[in-house]
Structure formats: structure tokens, C-alpha cells
Amino acid sequence: MNRPVILKLVSVRRELELSRDIRQTILPGISLEIQEGEFISITGHSGSGKSTLLYIMGGLDKPTFGEVWLEGVNLTDKTEKEMSVIRNRKIGFIYQFHFLLPEFTAVENVGMPMMIGSRPKSEIRERAQMLLDRVGLSDRYDYRPSQLSGGQQQRVAVARALANNPKIVLGDEPTGNLDTKSGKQVYELFEEMNEVFNQTIIFVTHDEDFARRAKRRIHLVDGKIDSDSKTGS
Ligand SMILES: Nc1ncnc2c1ncn2[C@@H]1O[C@H](COP(=O)(O)OP(=O)(O)O)[C@@H](O)[C@H]1O
Ligand SMILES: [Mg+2]
């Protein structure tokens, strides 16, 4: 099946300047293409560059050299302000730690990314509730993060990442802090987002089962793609 390329990395290199004359190379040069609707797991040992790669894919970090293209647009020379608009509209990010705002309820946290622009409050609340329904939290709209379990908090974070119906959803070990059952629930939400809503999902995981269940699997060793394989269709 030939679907449009949604994300393209061209010779992406990421160096860190540790001091004036010491530079560390995290990613020596990664090129890859991701098509719309792919469901991809990224694995690799701690320190292999998984988070760095994901942050670059999501426009949260910039390569030292190389290019990142999102839907045919070169992100390389975008300003931070332009990037924040692009991220808000097109990318949903889920972290290992949920980063929910503790003072706000589940519905308010999920509605936060929708506050940009002039959408009516009632419409924002309605959509936030619909997203919480989708992650199985219909009975927790007005709970604060501290009143929710870890698994529930992470599901709120998933709902928040979906706020603006992003084309791409990126997860950096999104199930890493969850018990087996909650992790499975979050993973199955990803599958649903991919299968029902055709969202492109890319997630870093240490869970071998989840990694294997993805339709495409990228394995990193020392910042390089060690293997990149598609399963099934
Ligand atoms: N801000 C930083 N300062 C110094 N080293 C860093 C920084 N961020 C990442 N690194 C280094 O870059 C490498 C890759 O990190 P990372 O992308 O977080 O790997 P992973 O997510 O696979 O564990 C590691 O060796 C890490 O120590
Ligand atoms: Mg990491």
C-alpha cells in the first residue's frame, strides 16, 4: 500500500557540546521515511538515542545537521514560535511522566491544548469530555491528577495529546511507569487511534511484547538504526 510520506528525516545528526572542546555525537546520521498511518515501535538500550530521535521527530529538538520534513514542509529553519504552532496542530506527545497540571481537573488538562485560538469554552469542554470518554474516564471529568491512579493519569495524558486531533502521536515510554494492566490499556488505545482514526503512532518502549506487536519496528544501537522491519501486511 502506498500512502503519503508524513515524516522524513534526512541525514539527521545530533551532537551535544559538553564543553568548549568536547562534543558528543548522540545520533551520527539517521535517514528514514514514515508514511501516514504507520504504527511504529522504537527500541534500544538506555542511552542509545531513542528520546533524542523522538524529540527531533516531534520538533521539540533540532538536529545539528540534516533535515526534518513534516508533510512536505522543512522544519529545519522554522523559528521556535512557528514550531510551537506546528506542534500544537499536528503532533501529540505523551511522556513517561504525564506532566499534567496538578491544579487543574482532567477535563481542564485535556482542554489546555485547545485554548489557542478563539474556540468557545463550552465547545472545548465538550471535546475534552468526548476524549476522556474515549480513554475510559467518563466518570472522572472533574478529578485532579492527584485523585487519579497512575494508569488513569496516563490515560488523561493520552486524551490531552489527542486534543487537536494530531496526525502524529509520539510516545516516549508512555507505558514505562504503569502496571501491566494499565500499560495494556494505554497500548490498546494506541492501536485504536491507529486503526480507527488512522493516526500515525510512533512510540519508544522497553516492553518486548508491545515492540513486537507494532507494524514496524526500529531498533537503535549507539544512535544508529540497527534494524528497521515491517511485520504483517
Ligand atoms: N542534555 C544532555 N546532556 C548530556 N548528555 C545528554 C543530554 N541529553 C542526552 N544526553 C546523552 O545522549 C545520549 C542519548 O540520550 P537519549 O536520547 O536520552 O537516550 P535514550 O532515550 O535511548 O535513553 C545518552 O548518552 C545521554 O547521556
Ligand atoms: Mg529516553
Side-chain angles (χ1 to χ4, degrees), residues 73-90:
V73 174
N74 189 347
L75 302 186
T76 318
D77 18 73
K78 298 278 175 211
T79 63
E80 188 39 50
K81 204 170 158 194
E82 290 169 325
M83 276 316 305
S84 69
V85 174
I86 293 174
R87 280 196 305 267
N88 181 264
R89 297 215 182 116
K90 298 194 185 269

Side-chain angles (χ1 to χ4, degrees), residues 16 18 24 26 44-53 172-173:
L16 269 182
L18 298 177
Q24 186 196 350
I26 303 177
H45 286 131
S46 176
S48 59
K50 305 181 296 295
S51 296
T52 306
L53 176 61
D172 193 1
E173 301 187 40

Side-chain angles (χ1 to χ4, degrees), residues 166-177:
K167 286 246 175 131
I168 303 185
V169 178
L170 301 170
D172 193 1
E173 301 187 40
T175 63
N177 280 332

Side-chain angles (χ1 to χ4, degrees), residues 28 105 131 173 204 211:
T105 65
L131 289 167
E173 301 187 40
V204 170

